[in-house]
Amino acid sequence: MVEQYRVSPVTVSRALAQLSAEGLVVTRPGAGVFRTVPRATVAPVGDTSWQEVALSADAAADLVPRSVDASGVLVSLTEPPPEVIEFTGGYLHPSLQPEQALAAALSRAARRPGAWGRPPMEGLTELRSWFARSIGGSVTAAEVLIAAGGQSALTIALRALASPGAPVLVESPTYPGMLAIARAAGLRPVPVPVDRDGVKPELLADAFRATGARVFVCQPLFQNPTGAVLAPERRGEVLRIAREAGAFVVEDDFVRRLVHADAGELPRPLAAEDADGVVVHVCSLTKATSPSFRVCALAARGPVLERLRAIQVVDTFFVPRPLQEAALELVGSAAWPRHLRAISADLKTRRDAMTTALGLRLPELALPHVPSGGYHLWLRLPDGSGSTSQAFGSGGEAALTAAALRAGVAITPGRPYFSAEPPAGHVRLSFAAVAGVGEIAEGVRRLRGAADEVL
């Protein structure tokens, strides 16, 4: 077979192994490989209609519904067809990912003594120390847990801090994945409006008083989707308001390592300025590396840390040790700072290319804020008069999104980012998941055609 098909023995071996796994061939040592005789079987037809009653029984008992709406998350996780330009992606394009550095880190990690053994439940001490130093302030390794990605860490935090049926304050708009977590846990998301300087403290205080909530979830740096950065004069106010309400602030610091080259000095995490255990901090390596490199830190101080730890252990036991060892190898290598500098420059170039293209081809889409970090733009659709209002009002997102997909470009509608009625129509456009600036220009050109179709 090697001679006939001009392939390596390894390829032939793998092909035979795959055929064997599928039951198409059987291997007999010393005799050869033989084709199996297929058995004619008829799969039984089952009846799953009983599940409708079982799955809705909690609603009949007036309990918290257990249904989960993942549609807002799937938009950024589902890959469109190859011919469609992806303005929906939430991760770096493969060309931006440090694939060689990751491969080298995994290779070195696999050879470490004890790399395949069971790690400490809280995570490797060296990795916890690295995350503690990156957070800053007085955060120590003892106050850090290693979790399997930001989504998992946010799930642990909300389950630890709020009981089913309780309100949880969220930014408006905010990350749909967090809203899905809250609703899946039986919590009631209550919106607090955000402007270009982050959450509005006076409205946050009003929301705490009105609801009695004990949790506020926020993204103070390059907020998703607006790109806002919490203003210096608001940072202390947010912590003070939460402390007076006896509440926790869950800080999702998800894109600190996706800063653009023109950003200047970044503000420290809120956790670095919190001595009273108000902040539960979440930060991940995933966004700056690869969607499969799910290594994250969950930091807190005080009695809440033990509750977070207990929930993590019950849910997942621990993050696989080889992945933690690889994370240590990566962040300790010379390739890591080089990679961060490279994506910082590349993301700025992509952002500028998208903002320029939108200004030329789609000036009617308002861009209130150009972020200096992250991987997307948040655009408001016009709500003037006449045909423009009909096409682009708060209900026009669906028409534009569908027309864009027909034109060959996938965009994200704004509705899933709001926990209540949105004030206007919006779309989010990502510039990190595409191949480069040429694809950005082509995607905006296609979006122009889609807009013309629904006008």
Side-chain angles (χ1 to χ4, degrees), residues 50-425:
W50 64 272
Q51 293 184 5
E52 294 184 41
V53 177
L55 293 174
S56 60
D58 49 7
D62 198 27
L63 302 175
V64 177
R66 290 178 290 166
S67 59
V68 179
D69 181 6
S71 58
V73 183
L74 290 174
V75 169
S76 61
L77 291 179
T78 304
E79 291 188 14
E83 68 276 7
V84 175
I85 293 176
E86 185 179 4
F87 281 173
T88 55
Y91 298 103
L92 297 178
H93 187 269
S95 63
L96 299 180
Q97 296 174 18
E99 291 185 347
Q100 291 185 350
L102 285 169
L106 281 169
S107 178
R108 294 193 300 269
R111 297 193 297 269
R112 283 189 169 199
W116 295 93
R118 186 178 67 187
M121 296 294 181
E122 299 85 356
L124 297 180
T125 301
E126 299 94 328
L127 186 57
R128 295 162 66 201
S129 296
W130 183 86
F131 272 114
R133 291 192 300 272
S134 69
I135 295 169
S138 60
V139 177
T140 67
E143 296 163 339
V144 175
L145 305 174
I146 302 301
Q151 191 76 359
S152 175
L154 288 172
T155 301
I156 291 168
L158 287 184
R159 286 181 57 196
L161 302 177
S163 302
V168 56
L169 304 187
V170 300
E171 294 173 315
S172 181
T174 192
Y175 167 50
M178 191 277 300
L179 294 177
I181 291 170
R183 289 166 177 150
L187 305 177
R188 295 186 291 110
V190 178
V192 184
V194 169
D195 60 20
R196 63 180 302 155
D197 291 323
V199 69
K200 298 180 179 180
E202 66 279 8
L203 297 182
L204 178 65
D206 291 343
F208 272 125
R209 283 192 296 268
T211 64
R214 291 293 180 265
V215 183
F216 169 51
V217 186
C218 65
Q219 296 174 326
L221 186 67
F222 308 133
Q223 195 257 0
N224 183 9
T226 65
V229 176
L230 188 62
E233 64 274 12
R234 294 186 181 184
R235 294 167 60 85
E237 277 290 283
V238 168
L239 294 180
R240 179 189 62 79
I241 290 168
R243 180 68 182 86
E244 290 179 355
F248 290 95
V249 173
V250 177
E251 179 184 27
D252 182 10
D253 199 16
F254 73 117
V255 285
R256 180 168 293 271
R257 295 173 181 87
L258 295 188
V259 59
H260 301 170
D262 61 348
E265 185 177 356
L266 298 184
R268 298 196 303 172
L270 292 178
E273 303 173 2
D274 168 43
D276 298 327
V278 173
V279 178
V280 174
H281 179 87
V282 175
C283 60
S284 172
L285 294 177
T286 306
K287 291 294 186 185
T289 54
S290 159
S292 290
F293 200 67
R294 307 202 65 76
V295 178
C296 173
L298 183 59
R301 55 176 32 134
V304 70
L305 184 63
E306 181 56 33
R307 186 180 294 186
L308 293 167
R309 177 182 179 275
I311 292 177
Q312 152 126 343
V313 170
V314 168
D315 279 359
T316 61
F317 286 1
F318 46 77
V319 175
R321 183 161 188 156
L323 202 56
Q324 295 191 54
E325 297 280 8
L328 272 174
E329 289 284 354
L330 177 67
V331 300
S333 70
W336 179 240
R338 287 199 304 268
H339 167 64
L340 294 182
R341 288 193 297 270
I343 60 173
S344 176
D346 204 301
L347 288 174
K348 176 185 179 300
T349 300
R350 289 162 173 254
R351 179 205 67 193
D352 292 346
M354 181 170 277
T355 54
T356 299
L358 288 169
L360 290 173
R361 291 189 177 273
L362 285 156
E364 63 267 44
L365 301 187
L367 180 59
H369 175 62
V370 178
S372 55
Y375 51 88
H376 60 263
L377 300 178
W378 180 243
L379 298 153
R380 176 169 174 150
L381 307 184
D383 52 5
S385 59
S387 61
T388 302
S389 176
Q390 294 172 8
F392 282 136
S394 60
E397 297 171 4
L400 180 59
T401 302
L405 193 58
R406 290 193 298 270
V409 58
I411 64 174
T412 306
R415 181 64 184 89
Y417 292 82
F418 292 90
S419 58
E421 292 78 7

